[in-house]
Amino acid sequence: MLLPRQIENRHILWSALAMLALGLIVPGVFGVKPPQWFAVPQQHEPGQNLAAGSARTKAQTPASKTPDAKIPDAGATAGITSARPDADQDAMSEQSSLSANPAIVMVPADFARRIPERHLALSGADQKQSFINLVLPLIVASNDELVQRRNAVKAAFDAKNRAMLEKWAVLYRVEPEKLDDAELAKQLLRRVDTIPVALALAQAAIESGWGTSGFALQGNALFGQWAWTESAGIRPLAASNERAVVRSFGSLLESVRAYMHNLNTHPNYQRFRLARQRLSPQNKTIKAGNLAAYLDSYAEIGTAYVDKLRAVISSNNFNQYARARLR
């Protein structure tokens, strides 16, 4: 009997296991209380005029994650040695005039499953506001889910529930074998964390062409995530890998959740996660611009992508949604 060929790249195996777990996870799994938005009986098209403020720039085209010790808060710096980049200071200077405590924006819990045809009939500022209306509730809901997951990890640590911590470790691609409970929980909390709303909005706008790209319309793909199985997505006209496809999703919400899971687990975004932990005490309007500096590997254009993210955040005043909440 032939043995299966050994998988040489462990990240492939961990990625497959994690995405399988993410696809299977439902409300109540892992002991997590379902977020309020799971109770919404049906996703439907949101209304117009979600919040004040209109966008100003032209639409962008798409670009090519001891047992009795206390768990450090997200802003704790113990064990983190990465240096503070100049980009952090630049972003703070650019945003120094913003309020350290932006107003809370209440967002209707309206969840569109896909981008409606009426969105394409709009143009300019109207189309941008329509896009925000579509995507912002999904981002807030997905962040709410991450907050509840963080609380579940903390609860598992407090209860000395090693088995539950190891289940979370599979989902978030943390290898628990040589870690005690405190270190495992610390590494999990570095990954099980929210994505700044302004940053997620900017990436969705850039990667989906403000909801007009074929990938977004046909596959609910808001963030241009790649997959390596043809049946998993849509093949682009030009790609550096002949097996590469843009991953498709059953709904826009699935796309947002997968994007956040990608930033929270993929090795390429380790610096992003370390910086997020270190910058946690800062106000939310500064945090999005700072963390953009660590997403240069998200697109082939590298640092130019960081500049584009910051420009979209600034010109469209996305930081006004930094404290958005579902109602």
Side-chain angles (χ1 to χ4, degrees):
M1 176 176 170
L2 295 177
L3 293 174
R5 193 163 68 183
Q6 182 179 11
I7 298 177
E8 297 178 354
N9 188 339
R10 298 182 68 187
H11 289 310
I12 296 176
L13 176 60
W14 276 89
S15 179
L17 290 173
M19 293 316 298
L20 175 62
L22 181 65
L24 294 176
I25 196 167
V26 294
V29 174
F30 288 77
V32 180
K33 181 180 178 181
Q36 177 183 354
W37 46 269
F38 271 122
V40 178
Q42 182 178 1
Q43 291 181 328
H44 53 283
E45 294 183 10
Q48 299 292 328
N49 301 323
L50 174 67
S54 60
R56 302 295 186 211
T57 61
K58 294 182 180 179
Q60 304 284 340
T61 56
S64 41
K65 223 149 277 70
T66 62
D68 293 327
K70 292 288 186 180
I71 303 174
D73 291 334
T77 57
I80 299 176
T81 59
S82 58
R84 179 185 181 89
D86 293 340
D88 287 355
Q89 189 62 47
D90 292 342
M92 284 196 293
S93 297
E94 292 173 3
Q95 301 179 69
S96 60
S97 63
L98 292 171
S99 170
N101 191 29
I104 293 177
V105 176
M106 300 306 297
V107 180
D110 293 335
F111 305 126
R113 292 194 62 84
R114 58 188 54 83
I115 295 171
E117 290 185 7
R118 61 173 175 76
H119 176 75
L120 301 179
L122 303 172
S123 62
D126 289 338
Q127 187 178 73
K128 288 187 173 185
Q129 188 61 54
S130 171
F131 181 78
I132 293 170
N133 293 353
L134 290 165
V135 178
L136 182 57
L138 307 177
I139 293 172
V140 176
S142 297
N143 272 335
D144 284 351
E145 180 182 29
L146 285 168
V147 169
Q148 295 202 20
R149 289 184 177 189
R150 281 182 66 82
N151 291 337
V153 170
K154 292 177 181 178
F157 173 79
D158 291 340
K160 298 181 175 60
N161 189 338
R162 177 74 183 191
M164 185 61 69
L165 287 175
E166 291 189 358
K167 287 182 180 179
W168 285 113
V170 171
L171 183 62
Y172 281 91
R173 298 171 62 180
V174 175
E175 299 185 32
E177 288 79 8
K178 297 181 180 181
L179 304 177
D180 62 22
D181 287 1
E183 182 61 27
L184 177 55
K186 186 170 109 174
Q187 291 200 24
L188 281 170
L189 291 177
R190 188 179 295 155
R191 297 184 177 220
V192 188
D193 204 351
T194 59
I195 308 299
V197 174
L199 188 60
L201 269 178
Q203 287 201 267
I206 291 171
E207 299 295 336
S208 73
W210 293 89
T212 64
S213 75
F215 302 119
L217 296 172
Q218 298 172 37
N220 294 315
L222 292 173
F223 296 93
Q225 293 179 251
W226 292 101
W228 310 104
T229 303
E230 187 168 359
S231 61
I234 303 170
R235 185 177 297 281
L237 294 178
S240 57
N241 188 309
E242 63 180 12
R243 296 191 300 117
V245 296
V246 175
R247 188 179 170 200
S248 296
F249 300 91
S251 70
L252 295 174
L253 179 60
E254 289 179 29
S255 175
V256 176
R257 293 175 78 229
Y259 151 77
M260 292 187 175
H261 198 72
N262 185 35
L263 291 190
N264 282 337
T265 58
H266 197 284
N268 280 359
Y269 309 118
Q270 182 179 12
R271 290 169 58 247
F272 170 87
R273 295 188 292 270
L274 289 170
R276 177 177 59 185
Q277 183 183 50
R278 175 168 48 81
L279 298 174
S280 182
Q282 294 187 3
N283 74 69
K284 292 179 180 294
T285 58
I286 290 176
K287 192 173 180 180
N290 284 352
L291 290 180
Y294 301 92
L295 294 179
D296 54 302
S297 63
Y298 198 93
E300 293 180 354
I301 58 176
T303 56
Y305 185 70
V306 174
D307 295 337
K308 182 180 290 189
L309 280 175
R310 287 175 169 167
V312 171
I313 291 172
S314 176
S315 61
N316 295 283
N317 193 21
F318 279 167
N319 276 317
Q320 69 178 301
Y321 306 116
R323 300 178 67 205
R325 299 287 183 271
L326 291 178
R327 66 167 182 241

